[in-house]
Amino acid sequence: MASKSDDRHDSTGILSTLITASHICHYHGVLDAYGHISVRNPNNKSTFFLSHNLAPALISDLNDLVEYRIDDAEPVDPDTKAGYSERCIHSEILKNEKSGTEVPVFDAANHYQSGSKHDFLIRSIHLGQALASNFTKSQATYVKVGTSLVNRITGSHSEAPPSPDHPVVLMRGHGFTTAAASIEQAVYQAIYTAIAAKTQAVALTMQGAFSDAQLLGKVDDSGNITKGSSKSAAKLQYLNDQEASDSSSMNESNGGRAWKLWEREVSVSKLYDNTLKK
């Protein structure tokens, strides 16, 4: 039986990518001192790797990574370093592995149990299951970008495993979670989810400030408004399902280009250190 240490050494390729992914997400402002990214163990489908309780930018070697059981989110080695309290997010999504255009919103307040802390942290299997349920199963849907990037989970370019119907779930008062069939795709989704959110926020602000609103109504003989409504001449136009699907297909051929750029950005920064690349 391989030991925990042997399992990590046998997976250095994917773990190097995991470390780089943490650095990229920090470099692009998706993660700060908090947040985390994990990957299923390619040599043991019942476990996954996640760093111990450490800021993403500071993860650098095998000693910073911990192997957890998917069944209960507990470490394979009970004597390992303390981990993130929210590792149940990762374990429950991995249990539930499975493209829609709507983004579900998860509100932890709707799932708190009696006596639990109301701090928005997904610190229990119960809350992890509730969040993971937003990533609904679909055996007919497959990750598109996984065909153009090396699939770090299977180690091949073959057909990717099923993708989530909703690859991103917003978490009220907390942030968001994204799931994908490869580390590279998860990073891509994370970065552009953050960019899209900022773009939408600016667009909504501009719409509110500069839209040419028309006020329609009736006024009685005394000058009082008896009936009225407003009609905005300018509305944001979002992608429909067809546009979103076709745009995703177009982007798949460019996924590798983005990853190579992001990988280079963190490799030349003195802040980040990935000893598995040396």
Side-chain angles (χ1 to χ4, degrees), residues 173-185:
H174 199 54
F176 70 89
T177 298
T178 187
S182 71
I183 294 174
E184 295 91 338
Q185 176 65 0

Side-chain angles (χ1 to χ4, degrees), residues 32-182:
D32 46 25
Y34 300 94
H36 23 82
I37 182 169
S38 68
V39 66
R40 187 188 292 273
N41 183 350
N43 299 314
N44 182 355
K45 301 300 183 182
S46 65
T47 67
F48 67 99
F49 294 108
L50 177 69
S51 81
H52 69 88
N53 194 1
L54 184 66
L58 303 182
I59 302 169
S60 63
D61 57 37
L62 289 180
N63 293 325
D64 294 329
L65 301 174
V66 179
E67 184 180 4
Y68 292 97
R69 293 189 297 268
I70 290 175
D71 182 59
D72 57 6
E74 291 299 319
V76 172
D77 179 3
D79 298 322
T80 194
K81 299 175 182 177
Y84 296 115
S85 60
E86 293 193 297
R87 54 187 182 271
C88 288
I89 293 177
H90 303 264
S91 63
E92 294 306 313
I93 290 175
L94 287 169
K95 285 180 187 176
N96 210 30
E97 272 189 335
K98 0 251 168 300
S99 223
T101 55
E102 295 182 0
V103 180
V105 177
F106 172 74
D107 189 346
N110 295 329
H111 303 278
Y112 289 134
Q113 293 177 307
S114 177
S116 64
K117 294 182 178 180
H118 293 202
D119 56 7
F120 294 105
L121 295 182
I122 313 303
R123 58 171 72 248
S124 68
I125 290 178
H126 168 73
L127 288 175
Q129 288 173 338
L131 173 62
S133 67
N134 289 275
F135 296 92
T136 54
K137 294 181 179 179
S138 174
Q139 296 303 318
T141 305
Y142 293 89
V143 170
K144 298 174 182 177
V145 178
T147 61
S148 61
L149 296 176
V150 174
N151 189 319
R152 301 289 181 166
I153 295 176
T154 64
S156 69
H157 292 273
S158 59
E159 187 177 74
S163 68
D165 284 346
H166 299 294
V168 176
V169 174
L170 301 181
M171 302 166 69
R172 186 180 78 84
H174 199 54
F176 70 89
T177 298
T178 187
S182 71

